[in-house]
Amino acid sequence: MNDKEQDKKKKKGGNEIKRPCPPYSLWCKAQWNEVKKENPDAEFKDISNILGAKWKTITAEEKKPYEEKYQAEKEAYLKVMTKEKRESEAMKLLEEEQKQKTAMELLEQYLQFKQEADQEENSKKTKKEKDPLKPKQPLSAFFLFCNERRAALLAENKSVLEVAKIAGEEWKHMTEKQRGPYEEVAKKNREKHMQEMEAYKQTKDEEAMNLKKEEEELVKVQKQEALQLLKKKEKTENIIKKTKEQRQKKQQQNVDPNKPKKPASSFLLFSKETRKSLMDERPGISNSTLTAMISVKWKELNEEERQIWNSKAAEAMEAYKKELEEYSKSLAAATSNDEQQQ
């Protein structure tokens, strides 16, 4: 899809991000009504000419608020557009990576479906099963009466049709007082059914809400995973160019095993602990999905929660600095001794 088609779709959907107006346009909007009042008979073209001439005469100080507003809107616009573009590219990359996997899954689903269809080719179609947890509709007063009379009438060797007909006639000629007990039971059953339905609907709403949350969480993870893939792609060319250089440097360097290691950052400390809990909760999870979920959880931490990990990292850094200082002293002393002996 080219840029023009995308712009058209944005306009139709009403979600188009407006480009920032330049300082001159912002100033014109602010001055238009005033100039129109001063020149009520002037046409659009005339007012535009008046504003153009007036703009040339105003000072840089007067133009400054409009230029500052334009710069602020421009920065916000570019920030949003850059983010959307990166997310779009990341999602495309994720889609390409999963293309083969998805194709195989679809093939397996088709083969399974075909096998089941072949097995049930000669069988009758069954109706869609109803939810067994849904409360059943209560019987009306008339059907409660019919159930009560059915046993006695069947004992008299009456057919099903005769039972229904006789019960209907009897009900028709019953007084309100005689119908009262059945109406009362039916009313209680309806009230009970309403309560059960409310509880059932609440359960269904909660299930739907939980499902929605899971879907939103999955989208977050997928976006994060996609962005990570994009970052990897962006770094690939530089990594290839620098690989030989880095290998040569590593071969030349003699790393002292006694030198203190630099401590982990607050994010790495959080990542290490969160990784264990997520692997316990979701055994078999892929490494890329795991990394994406950790990133999402880190971004969702509030300032107070993040401060805990910052404090741990700060403590580790202080200890590292002390160890490094001691190491540097011992190294300097050893070097000095070597020079004296020589």
Side-chain angles (χ1 to χ4, degrees):
M1 185 184 292
N2 57 36
D3 294 340
K4 289 183 179 179
E5 288 174 345
Q6 286 180 345
D7 290 341
K8 284 180 182 178
K9 287 207 168 188
K10 282 184 180 178
K11 286 176 184 178
K12 285 181 182 177
N15 296 323
E16 184 187 10
I17 301 168
K18 292 183 179 179
R19 289 179 177 274
C21 292
Y24 175 68
S25 298
L26 293 170
W27 178 80
C28 285
K29 284 180 183 178
Q31 298 292 319
W32 189 274
N33 290 335
E34 187 180 336
V35 173
K36 184 67 178 174
K37 278 184 182 180
E38 293 173 358
N39 304 274
D41 299 327
E43 294 182 358
F44 181 88
K45 186 179 178 182
D46 298 328
I47 294 174
S48 298
N49 291 334
I50 293 167
L51 287 169
K54 192 175 179 182
W55 172 258
K56 292 177 182 178
T57 61
I58 66 174
T59 63
E61 193 66 28
E62 290 173 312
K63 291 179 181 179
K64 191 176 178 182
Y66 302 99
E67 288 171 349
E68 287 176 348
K69 187 178 179 182
Y70 167 70
Q71 286 300 328
E73 289 179 355
K74 183 181 176 182
E75 286 175 12
Y77 171 79
L78 290 174
K79 189 176 180 182
V80 172
M81 290 301 292
T82 303
K83 183 183 176 186
E84 287 188 356
K85 187 178 178 181
R86 280 181 60 78
E87 284 187 353
S88 177
E89 287 178 3
M91 291 306 288
K92 282 179 184 176
L93 182 61
L94 180 65
E95 186 180 345
E96 286 171 9
E97 190 181 80
Q98 293 178 341
K99 191 175 182 180
Q100 185 64 32
K101 184 180 174 183
T102 305
M104 292 303 296
E105 286 176 356
L106 289 171
L107 180 61
E108 286 175 8
Q109 288 174 11
Y110 169 73
L111 292 172
Q112 186 180 356
F113 167 77
K114 192 173 184 300
Q115 187 180 0
E116 291 174 357
D118 290 340
Q119 289 174 354
E120 297 179 4
E121 189 177 356
N122 298 321
S123 64
K124 293 181 180 179
K125 291 181 181 179
T126 55
K127 291 183 179 179
K128 188 179 178 181
E129 291 183 5
K130 293 182 180 178
D131 187 353
L133 300 175
K134 187 176 181 180
K136 293 181 179 179
Q137 191 72 22
L139 296 174
S140 64
F142 170 68
F143 279 106
L144 289 170
F145 169 73
C146 287
N147 285 348
E148 189 180 280
R149 289 286 293 131
R150 184 179 289 107
L153 292 170
L154 289 173
E156 296 174 9
N157 296 322
K158 303 290 184 182
S159 67
V160 176
L161 290 174
E162 287 174 332
V163 169
K165 187 176 179 181
I166 292 166
E169 287 295 324
E170 289 179 355
W171 179 260
K172 188 177 178 180
H173 294 94
M174 285 172 70
T175 62
E176 287 186 10
K177 187 176 180 181
Q178 290 171 322
R179 291 185 182 183
Y182 302 102
E183 297 284 0
E184 187 65 28
V185 173
K187 184 181 177 183
K188 287 180 180 178
N189 288 345
R190 283 196 300 273
E191 290 173 355
K192 184 181 177 183
H193 177 260
M194 286 175 69
Q195 291 174 356
E196 290 174 348
M197 279 302 294
E198 283 179 11
Y200 171 78
K201 285 178 181 177
Q202 187 176 351
T203 303
K204 286 293 178 184
D205 289 343
E206 287 174 359
E207 287 176 1
M209 191 174 292
N210 290 335
L211 182 63
K212 188 180 178 182
K213 284 182 180 178
E214 287 176 8
E215 288 173 352
E216 288 174 353
E217 186 69 20
L218 180 62
V219 170
K220 276 186 183 179
V221 171
Q222 283 181 337
K223 275 192 176 183
Q224 189 63 33
E225 191 175 358
L227 286 169
Q228 287 173 355
L229 286 169
L230 181 61
K231 287 177 182 177
K232 287 178 183 177
K233 183 184 177 184
E234 289 171 347
K235 290 178 181 178
T236 300
E237 291 181 4
N238 290 331
I239 289 170
I240 292 169
K241 288 178 183 178
K242 293 178 181 178
T243 299
K244 291 182 180 179
E245 233 175 81
Q246 288 174 350
R247 282 178 183 172
Q248 289 172 358
K249 285 181 181 179
K250 282 181 181 179
Q251 287 171 0
Q252 291 170 1
Q253 288 175 352
N254 293 318
V255 180
D256 186 352
N258 297 320
K259 186 178 180 180
K261 291 182 180 179
K262 193 173 182 180
S265 64
S266 53
F267 171 72
L268 288 176
L269 291 171
F270 169 82
S271 178
K272 188 176 179 182
E273 188 168 316
T274 308
R275 184 179 291 271
K276 289 179 183 177
S277 61
L278 286 173
M279 287 179 75
D280 291 338
E281 290 173 11
R282 306 188 181 192
I285 189 172
S286 69
N287 191 53
S288 59
T289 303
L290 184 62
T291 306
M293 289 183 73
I294 291 169
S295 296
V296 170
K297 287 184 177 292
W298 174 255
K299 287 179 181 179
E300 289 176 347
L301 291 180
N302 57 39
E303 288 297 324
E304 188 176 346
E305 291 169 333
R306 194 169 289 194
Q307 185 58 39
I308 295 170
W309 299 102
N310 290 339
S311 299
K312 289 181 179 180
E315 288 174 11
M317 181 57 76
E318 287 298 319
Y320 165 74
K321 286 178 180 177
K322 289 178 182 177
E323 290 174 5
L324 189 62
E325 188 178 349
E326 292 295 324
Y327 169 79
S328 299
K329 287 179 181 177
S330 63
L331 188 64
T335 305
S336 178
N337 289 335
D338 290 342
E339 288 175 355
Q340 287 175 4
Q341 287 174 4
Q342 288 174 0

